Amino acid sequence: MMAIHKKELEVAALENGTVIDHIPSNQLFKVVSLLGLEHLNKSITIGNNLISKKIGHKGIIKIADTFFKEEEINKIALIAPNAKINIIRDYQVIEKRVVTLPDELTGIIRCNNPKCITNNEPMNTVFRVINKETVEVKCKYCERAISQKDIEIR
């Protein structure tokens, strides 16, 4: 009798924590960095280039025993505006959220104007969101507008 080998990756179910789903594959590791997950001492499962009916290919992140504040999770909207957040308790999804771009972002984006004070003095950047649909932001200090494709995370 021939043995049948499973080729699928099996991942343990998440008892408690946060699942971030529908991240564009090319933005997955930016989300990891934006949330500082590389410094988190928790079990983290990352899947990338998974087939998605909605966006073609997607990334997903499962973080055990970790729950984020709304303002932390909403930063994801900068680079993954259609990401979905699932809060898990006792292996059940108890809450589903969509990310929403805040009106102002502090210390997240690097201003691409080399003459901006934020690039020449030790201070946080502050950007106002001027278009939530197309993800366009404007530096509070030098008034430089930056579109989503040109946003550089600090």
mmCIF file of all heavy atoms in Angstrom, residues 117-154:
data_model
loop_
_atom_site.group_PDB
_atom_site.id
_atom_site.type_symbol
_atom_site.label_atom_id
_atom_site.label_comp_id
_atom_site.label_asym_id
_atom_site.label_seq_id
_atom_site.Cartn_x
_atom_site.Cartn_y
_atom_site.Cartn_z
ATOM 1 N N ILE A 117 12.814 70.043 7.708
ATOM 2 C CA ILE A 117 13.430 70.085 9.037
ATOM 3 C C ILE A 117 13.492 68.689 9.671
ATOM 4 O O ILE A 117 14.415 68.390 10.418
ATOM 5 C CB ILE A 117 12.701 71.095 9.955
ATOM 6 C CG1 ILE A 117 13.512 71.312 11.233
ATOM 7 C CG2 ILE A 117 11.272 70.637 10.247
ATOM 8 C CD1 ILE A 117 13.027 72.473 12.069
ATOM 9 N N THR A 118 12.535 67.826 9.332
ATOM 10 C CA THR A 118 12.508 66.483 9.932
ATOM 11 C C THR A 118 13.664 65.610 9.450
ATOM 12 O O THR A 118 13.978 64.607 10.076
ATOM 13 C CB THR A 118 11.175 65.770 9.633
ATOM 14 O OG1 THR A 118 11.032 65.608 8.218
ATOM 15 C CG2 THR A 118 9.998 66.546 10.206
ATOM 16 N N ASN A 119 14.292 65.993 8.354
ATOM 17 C CA ASN A 119 15.461 65.271 7.857
ATOM 18 C C ASN A 119 16.770 65.886 8.324
ATOM 19 O O ASN A 119 17.847 65.355 8.047
ATOM 20 C CB ASN A 119 15.447 65.211 6.324
ATOM 21 C CG ASN A 119 14.383 64.279 5.817
ATOM 22 O OD1 ASN A 119 14.194 63.191 6.357
ATOM 23 N ND2 ASN A 119 13.662 64.697 4.799
ATOM 24 N N ASN A 120 16.663 67.000 9.024
ATOM 25 C CA ASN A 120 17.869 67.707 9.446
ATOM 26 C C ASN A 120 17.939 67.982 10.944
ATOM 27 O O ASN A 120 18.945 68.474 11.433
ATOM 28 C CB ASN A 120 17.983 69.025 8.664
ATOM 29 C CG ASN A 120 18.173 68.763 7.187
ATOM 30 O OD1 ASN A 120 19.206 68.274 6.771
ATOM 31 N ND2 ASN A 120 17.148 69.045 6.393
ATOM 32 N N GLU A 121 16.878 67.680 11.655
ATOM 33 C CA GLU A 121 16.820 67.848 13.108
ATOM 34 C C GLU A 121 16.249 66.569 13.715
ATOM 35 O O GLU A 121 15.460 65.887 13.071
ATOM 36 C CB GLU A 121 15.920 69.039 13.481
ATOM 37 C CG GLU A 121 16.410 70.382 12.970
ATOM 38 C CD GLU A 121 17.673 70.867 13.653
ATOM 39 O OE1 GLU A 121 17.901 70.499 14.823
ATOM 40 O OE2 GLU A 121 18.448 71.614 13.018
ATOM 41 N N PRO A 122 16.610 66.253 14.951
ATOM 42 C CA PRO A 122 16.075 65.037 15.589
ATOM 43 C C PRO A 122 14.630 65.260 16.056
ATOM 44 O O PRO A 122 14.386 65.686 17.178
ATOM 45 C CB PRO A 122 17.023 64.814 16.769
ATOM 46 C CG PRO A 122 17.574 66.170 17.076
ATOM 47 C CD PRO A 122 17.596 66.926 15.782
ATOM 48 N N MET A 123 13.695 65.014 15.154
ATOM 49 C CA MET A 123 12.285 65.212 15.480
ATOM 50 C C MET A 123 11.417 64.265 14.674
ATOM 51 O O MET A 123 11.836 63.757 13.636
ATOM 52 C CB MET A 123 11.876 66.669 15.216
ATOM 53 C CG MET A 123 12.038 67.092 13.775
ATOM 54 S SD MET A 123 11.811 68.859 13.493
ATOM 55 C CE MET A 123 10.190 69.142 14.102
ATOM 56 N N ASN A 124 10.212 64.010 15.173
ATOM 57 C CA ASN A 124 9.258 63.156 14.475
ATOM 58 C C ASN A 124 8.638 63.875 13.294
ATOM 59 O O ASN A 124 8.425 65.095 13.346
ATOM 60 C CB ASN A 124 8.120 62.735 15.421
ATOM 61 C CG ASN A 124 8.461 61.498 16.205
ATOM 62 O OD1 ASN A 124 9.235 60.660 15.769
ATOM 63 N ND2 ASN A 124 7.869 61.376 17.380
ATOM 64 N N THR A 125 8.328 63.127 12.275
ATOM 65 C CA THR A 125 7.564 63.678 11.166
ATOM 66 C C THR A 125 6.094 63.708 11.572
ATOM 67 O O THR A 125 5.651 62.920 12.409
ATOM 68 C CB THR A 125 7.721 62.827 9.897
ATOM 69 O OG1 THR A 125 7.277 61.495 10.169
ATOM 70 C CG2 THR A 125 9.144 62.823 9.390
ATOM 71 N N VAL A 126 5.360 64.617 10.976
ATOM 72 C CA VAL A 126 3.910 64.673 11.154
ATOM 73 C C VAL A 126 3.317 64.892 9.771
ATOM 74 O O VAL A 126 3.667 65.849 9.074
ATOM 75 C CB VAL A 126 3.488 65.818 12.099
ATOM 76 C CG1 VAL A 126 1.966 65.861 12.241
ATOM 77 C CG2 VAL A 126 4.147 65.667 13.463
ATOM 78 N N PHE A 127 2.442 63.975 9.365
ATOM 79 C CA PHE A 127 1.786 64.078 8.066
ATOM 80 C C PHE A 127 0.283 64.119 8.245
ATOM 81 O O PHE A 127 -0.276 63.346 9.023
ATOM 82 C CB PHE A 127 2.158 62.886 7.167
ATOM 83 C CG PHE A 127 3.500 63.017 6.528
ATOM 84 C CD1 PHE A 127 4.636 62.600 7.198
ATOM 85 C CD2 PHE A 127 3.638 63.564 5.267
ATOM 86 C CE1 PHE A 127 5.889 62.721 6.616
ATOM 87 C CE2 PHE A 127 4.890 63.696 4.683
ATOM 88 C CZ PHE A 127 6.013 63.273 5.351
ATOM 89 N N ARG A 128 -0.358 65.026 7.531
ATOM 90 C CA ARG A 128 -1.816 65.065 7.470
ATOM 91 C C ARG A 128 -2.244 64.262 6.243
ATOM 92 O O ARG A 128 -1.627 64.366 5.180
ATOM 93 C CB ARG A 128 -2.306 66.500 7.364
ATOM 94 C CG ARG A 128 -2.102 67.307 8.634
ATOM 95 C CD ARG A 128 -2.706 68.707 8.517
ATOM 96 N NE ARG A 128 -2.129 69.497 7.439
ATOM 97 C CZ ARG A 128 -1.035 70.241 7.553
ATOM 98 N NH1 ARG A 128 -0.396 70.288 8.688
ATOM 99 N NH2 ARG A 128 -0.580 70.919 6.529
ATOM 100 N N VAL A 129 -3.286 63.483 6.400
ATOM 101 C CA VAL A 129 -3.824 62.722 5.278
ATOM 102 C C VAL A 129 -4.742 63.657 4.504
ATOM 103 O O VAL A 129 -5.704 64.193 5.056
ATOM 104 C CB VAL A 129 -4.578 61.467 5.772
ATOM 105 C CG1 VAL A 129 -5.202 60.729 4.600
ATOM 106 C CG2 VAL A 129 -3.623 60.556 6.543
ATOM 107 N N ILE A 130 -4.413 63.871 3.230
ATOM 108 C CA ILE A 130 -5.228 64.791 2.429
ATOM 109 C C ILE A 130 -6.174 64.056 1.482
ATOM 110 O O ILE A 130 -7.117 64.646 0.979
ATOM 111 C CB ILE A 130 -4.351 65.815 1.663
ATOM 112 C CG1 ILE A 130 -3.302 65.141 0.801
ATOM 113 C CG2 ILE A 130 -3.708 66.784 2.628
ATOM 114 C CD1 ILE A 130 -2.475 66.101 -0.049
ATOM 115 N N ASN A 131 -5.913 62.754 1.256
ATOM 116 C CA ASN A 131 -6.846 61.950 0.460
ATOM 117 C C ASN A 131 -6.783 60.510 0.956
ATOM 118 O O ASN A 131 -5.785 59.819 0.741
ATOM 119 C CB ASN A 131 -6.509 62.041 -1.024
ATOM 120 C CG ASN A 131 -7.593 61.424 -1.886
ATOM 121 O OD1 ASN A 131 -8.212 60.425 -1.525
ATOM 122 N ND2 ASN A 131 -7.815 62.014 -3.047
ATOM 123 N N LYS A 132 -7.849 60.062 1.620
ATOM 124 C CA LYS A 132 -7.871 58.711 2.181
ATOM 125 C C LYS A 132 -8.069 57.646 1.112
ATOM 126 O O LYS A 132 -7.613 56.525 1.260
ATOM 127 C CB LYS A 132 -8.951 58.595 3.251
ATOM 128 C CG LYS A 132 -8.583 59.367 4.512
ATOM 129 C CD LYS A 132 -9.530 59.078 5.642
ATOM 130 C CE LYS A 132 -9.092 59.850 6.869
ATOM 131 N NZ LYS A 132 -9.730 59.419 8.078
ATOM 132 N N GLU A 133 -8.764 57.980 0.029
ATOM 133 C CA GLU A 133 -9.017 56.992 -1.018
ATOM 134 C C GLU A 133 -7.758 56.651 -1.802
ATOM 135 O O GLU A 133 -7.468 55.497 -2.063
ATOM 136 C CB GLU A 133 -10.114 57.474 -1.961
ATOM 137 C CG GLU A 133 -11.492 57.381 -1.342
ATOM 138 C CD GLU A 133 -12.575 57.764 -2.322
ATOM 139 O OE1 GLU A 133 -12.411 57.529 -3.537
ATOM 140 O OE2 GLU A 133 -13.591 58.312 -1.848
ATOM 141 N N THR A 134 -7.012 57.670 -2.195
ATOM 142 C CA THR A 134 -5.797 57.433 -2.980
ATOM 143 C C THR A 134 -4.551 57.377 -2.100
ATOM 144 O O THR A 134 -3.461 57.152 -2.595
ATOM 145 C CB THR A 134 -5.600 58.535 -4.040
ATOM 146 O OG1 THR A 134 -5.463 59.794 -3.380
ATOM 147 C CG2 THR A 134 -6.763 58.572 -5.018
ATOM 148 N N VAL A 135 -4.712 57.557 -0.809
ATOM 149 C CA VAL A 135 -3.633 57.588 0.185
ATOM 150 C C VAL A 135 -2.571 58.615 -0.217
ATOM 151 O O VAL A 135 -1.503 58.290 -0.714
ATOM 152 C CB VAL A 135 -3.009 56.195 0.425
ATOM 153 C CG1 VAL A 135 -2.017 56.264 1.581
ATOM 154 C CG2 VAL A 135 -4.061 55.141 0.708
ATOM 155 N N GLU A 136 -2.926 59.865 -0.007
ATOM 156 C CA GLU A 136 -1.996 60.968 -0.238
ATOM 157 C C GLU A 136 -1.853 61.734 1.071
ATOM 158 O O GLU A 136 -2.840 61.997 1.755
ATOM 159 C CB GLU A 136 -2.488 61.898 -1.344
ATOM 160 C CG GLU A 136 -1.450 62.905 -1.754
ATOM 161 C CD GLU A 136 -1.890 63.752 -2.951
ATOM 162 O OE1 GLU A 136 -2.959 63.498 -3.516
ATOM 163 O OE2 GLU A 136 -1.136 64.667 -3.305
ATOM 164 N N VAL A 137 -0.608 62.055 1.416
ATOM 165 C CA VAL A 137 -0.325 62.731 2.677
ATOM 166 C C VAL A 137 0.492 63.996 2.423
ATOM 167 O O VAL A 137 1.120 64.129 1.377
ATOM 168 C CB VAL A 137 0.433 61.792 3.656
ATOM 169 C CG1 VAL A 137 -0.423 60.599 4.042
ATOM 170 C CG2 VAL A 137 1.770 61.342 3.082
ATOM 171 N N LYS A 138 0.465 64.920 3.410
ATOM 172 C CA LYS A 138 1.217 66.166 3.275
ATOM 173 C C LYS A 138 1.985 66.415 4.569
ATOM 174 O O LYS A 138 1.437 66.337 5.658
ATOM 175 C CB LYS A 138 0.278 67.337 2.989
ATOM 176 C CG LYS A 138 1.015 68.644 2.716
ATOM 177 C CD LYS A 138 0.058 69.781 2.431
ATOM 178 C CE LYS A 138 -0.231 69.805 0.949
ATOM 179 N NZ LYS A 138 -0.935 71.030 0.547
ATOM 180 N N CYS A 139 3.275 66.737 4.431
ATOM 181 C CA CYS A 139 4.127 67.031 5.575
ATOM 182 C C CYS A 139 3.655 68.316 6.257
ATOM 183 O O CYS A 139 3.444 69.335 5.595
ATOM 184 C CB CYS A 139 5.582 67.168 5.123
ATOM 185 S SG CYS A 139 6.718 67.578 6.476
ATOM 186 N N LYS A 140 3.508 68.258 7.550
ATOM 187 C CA LYS A 140 3.066 69.418 8.330
ATOM 188 C C LYS A 140 4.101 70.545 8.296
ATOM 189 O O LYS A 140 3.761 71.714 8.359
ATOM 190 C CB LYS A 140 2.824 68.986 9.773
ATOM 191 C CG LYS A 140 2.454 70.095 10.719
ATOM 192 C CD LYS A 140 2.280 69.562 12.126
ATOM 193 C CE LYS A 140 2.082 70.687 13.110
ATOM 194 N NZ LYS A 140 1.946 70.203 14.476
ATOM 195 N N TYR A 141 5.376 70.196 8.148
ATOM 196 C CA TYR A 141 6.447 71.188 8.245
ATOM 197 C C TYR A 141 6.804 71.830 6.910
ATOM 198 O O TYR A 141 6.934 73.043 6.831
ATOM 199 C CB TYR A 141 7.684 70.564 8.890
ATOM 200 C CG TYR A 141 7.381 70.040 10.266
ATOM 201 C CD1 TYR A 141 7.240 68.684 10.497
ATOM 202 C CD2 TYR A 141 7.201 70.912 11.343
ATOM 203 C CE1 TYR A 141 6.937 68.203 11.765
ATOM 204 C CE2 TYR A 141 6.894 70.442 12.608
ATOM 205 C CZ TYR A 141 6.762 69.087 12.814
ATOM 206 O OH TYR A 141 6.448 68.620 14.056
ATOM 207 N N CYS A 142 6.985 71.034 5.884
ATOM 208 C CA CYS A 142 7.428 71.615 4.605
ATOM 209 C C CYS A 142 6.328 71.643 3.544
ATOM 210 O O CYS A 142 6.549 72.136 2.447
ATOM 211 C CB CYS A 142 8.653 70.869 4.080
ATOM 212 S SG CYS A 142 8.304 69.221 3.427
ATOM 213 N N GLU A 143 5.158 71.066 3.891
ATOM 214 C CA GLU A 143 4.002 71.047 2.989
ATOM 215 C C GLU A 143 4.196 70.175 1.749
ATOM 216 O O GLU A 143 3.461 70.296 0.782
ATOM 217 C CB GLU A 143 3.603 72.479 2.571
ATOM 218 C CG GLU A 143 3.146 73.340 3.730
ATOM 219 C CD GLU A 143 1.809 72.902 4.317
ATOM 220 O OE1 GLU A 143 0.875 72.621 3.539
ATOM 221 O OE2 GLU A 143 1.713 72.819 5.556
ATOM 222 N N ARG A 144 5.189 69.291 1.749
ATOM 223 C CA ARG A 144 5.405 68.391 0.617
ATOM 224 C C ARG A 144 4.311 67.328 0.614
ATOM 225 O O ARG A 144 4.088 66.658 1.616
ATOM 226 C CB ARG A 144 6.784 67.754 0.719
ATOM 227 C CG ARG A 144 7.089 66.593 -0.218
ATOM 228 C CD ARG A 144 7.541 66.952 -1.619
ATOM 229 N NE ARG A 144 8.643 67.858 -1.737
ATOM 230 C CZ ARG A 144 9.851 67.539 -2.146
ATOM 231 N NH1 ARG A 144 10.160 66.291 -2.429
ATOM 232 N NH2 ARG A 144 10.770 68.470 -2.269
ATOM 233 N N ALA A 145 3.631 67.175 -0.525
ATOM 234 C CA ALA A 145 2.623 66.125 -0.682
ATOM 235 C C ALA A 145 3.306 64.864 -1.205
ATOM 236 O O ALA A 145 4.195 64.939 -2.056
ATOM 237 C CB ALA A 145 1.530 66.569 -1.635
ATOM 238 N N ILE A 146 2.885 63.717 -0.667
ATOM 239 C CA ILE A 146 3.464 62.434 -1.073
ATOM 240 C C ILE A 146 2.324 61.471 -1.374
ATOM 241 O O ILE A 146 1.405 61.301 -0.571
ATOM 242 C CB ILE A 146 4.368 61.850 0.035
ATOM 243 C CG1 ILE A 146 5.471 62.840 0.421
ATOM 244 C CG2 ILE A 146 4.976 60.532 -0.411
ATOM 245 C CD1 ILE A 146 6.317 62.393 1.601
ATOM 246 N N SER A 147 2.387 60.829 -2.557
ATOM 247 C CA SER A 147 1.367 59.851 -2.922
ATOM 248 C C SER A 147 1.774 58.469 -2.392
ATOM 249 O O SER A 147 2.934 58.239 -2.036
ATOM 250 C CB SER A 147 1.183 59.807 -4.427
ATOM 251 O OG SER A 147 2.391 59.425 -5.047
ATOM 252 N N GLN A 148 0.832 57.556 -2.350
ATOM 253 C CA GLN A 148 1.051 56.241 -1.748
ATOM 254 C C GLN A 148 2.286 55.532 -2.315
ATOM 255 O O GLN A 148 3.070 54.967 -1.585
ATOM 256 C CB GLN A 148 -0.179 55.348 -1.904
ATOM 257 C CG GLN A 148 -0.012 54.014 -1.194
ATOM 258 C CD GLN A 148 -1.199 53.097 -1.340
ATOM 259 O OE1 GLN A 148 -1.906 53.166 -2.331
ATOM 260 N NE2 GLN A 148 -1.399 52.252 -0.369
ATOM 261 N N LYS A 149 2.485 55.596 -3.618
ATOM 262 C CA LYS A 149 3.611 54.872 -4.222
ATOM 263 C C LYS A 149 4.968 55.416 -3.776
ATOM 264 O O LYS A 149 5.969 54.716 -3.848
ATOM 265 C CB LYS A 149 3.498 54.859 -5.755
ATOM 266 C CG LYS A 149 3.642 56.211 -6.406
ATOM 267 C CD LYS A 149 3.563 56.102 -7.914
ATOM 268 C CE LYS A 149 3.689 57.408 -8.614
ATOM 269 N NZ LYS A 149 4.842 58.203 -8.312
ATOM 270 N N ASP A 150 4.989 56.668 -3.293
ATOM 271 C CA ASP A 150 6.242 57.278 -2.873
ATOM 272 C C ASP A 150 6.435 57.333 -1.350
ATOM 273 O O ASP A 150 7.435 57.868 -0.877
ATOM 274 C CB ASP A 150 6.342 58.708 -3.445
ATOM 275 C CG ASP A 150 6.408 58.706 -4.956
ATOM 276 O OD1 ASP A 150 7.072 57.820 -5.515
ATOM 277 O OD2 ASP A 150 5.771 59.585 -5.578
ATOM 278 N N ILE A 151 5.492 56.772 -0.621
ATOM 279 C CA ILE A 151 5.594 56.777 0.851
ATOM 280 C C ILE A 151 6.705 55.841 1.286
ATOM 281 O O ILE A 151 6.777 54.687 0.853
ATOM 282 C CB ILE A 151 4.251 56.376 1.502
ATOM 283 C CG1 ILE A 151 3.244 57.512 1.320
ATOM 284 C CG2 ILE A 151 4.441 56.050 2.982
ATOM 285 C CD1 ILE A 151 1.850 57.190 1.815
ATOM 286 N N GLU A 152 7.573 56.359 2.131
ATOM 287 C CA GLU A 152 8.680 55.571 2.700
ATOM 288 C C GLU A 152 8.469 55.504 4.209
ATOM 289 O O GLU A 152 8.427 56.536 4.880
ATOM 290 C CB GLU A 152 10.013 56.236 2.357
ATOM 291 C CG GLU A 152 11.203 55.429 2.795
ATOM 292 C CD GLU A 152 12.509 56.131 2.453
ATOM 293 O OE1 GLU A 152 12.591 56.833 1.436
ATOM 294 O OE2 GLU A 152 13.462 55.966 3.258
ATOM 295 N N ILE A 153 8.341 54.289 4.713
ATOM 296 C CA ILE A 153 8.154 54.086 6.148
ATOM 297 C C ILE A 153 9.491 54.288 6.837
ATOM 298 O O ILE A 153 10.534 53.832 6.361
ATOM 299 C CB ILE A 153 7.614 52.651 6.424
ATOM 300 C CG1 ILE A 153 6.338 52.393 5.634
ATOM 301 C CG2 ILE A 153 7.401 52.436 7.918
ATOM 302 C CD1 ILE A 153 5.173 53.269 5.938
ATOM 303 N N ARG A 154 9.466 54.977 7.995
ATOM 304 C CA ARG A 154 10.704 55.242 8.761
ATOM 305 C C ARG A 154 11.256 53.985 9.365
ATOM 306 O O ARG A 154 10.660 53.071 9.705
ATOM 307 C CB ARG A 154 10.446 56.243 9.882
ATOM 308 C CG ARG A 154 10.172 57.618 9.352
ATOM 309 C CD ARG A 154 10.051 58.565 10.485
ATOM 310 N NE ARG A 154 11.167 59.474 10.304
ATOM 311 C CZ ARG A 154 11.569 60.328 11.177
ATOM 312 N NH1 ARG A 154 11.017 60.398 12.334
ATOM 313 N NH2 ARG A 154 12.553 61.139 10.942
#
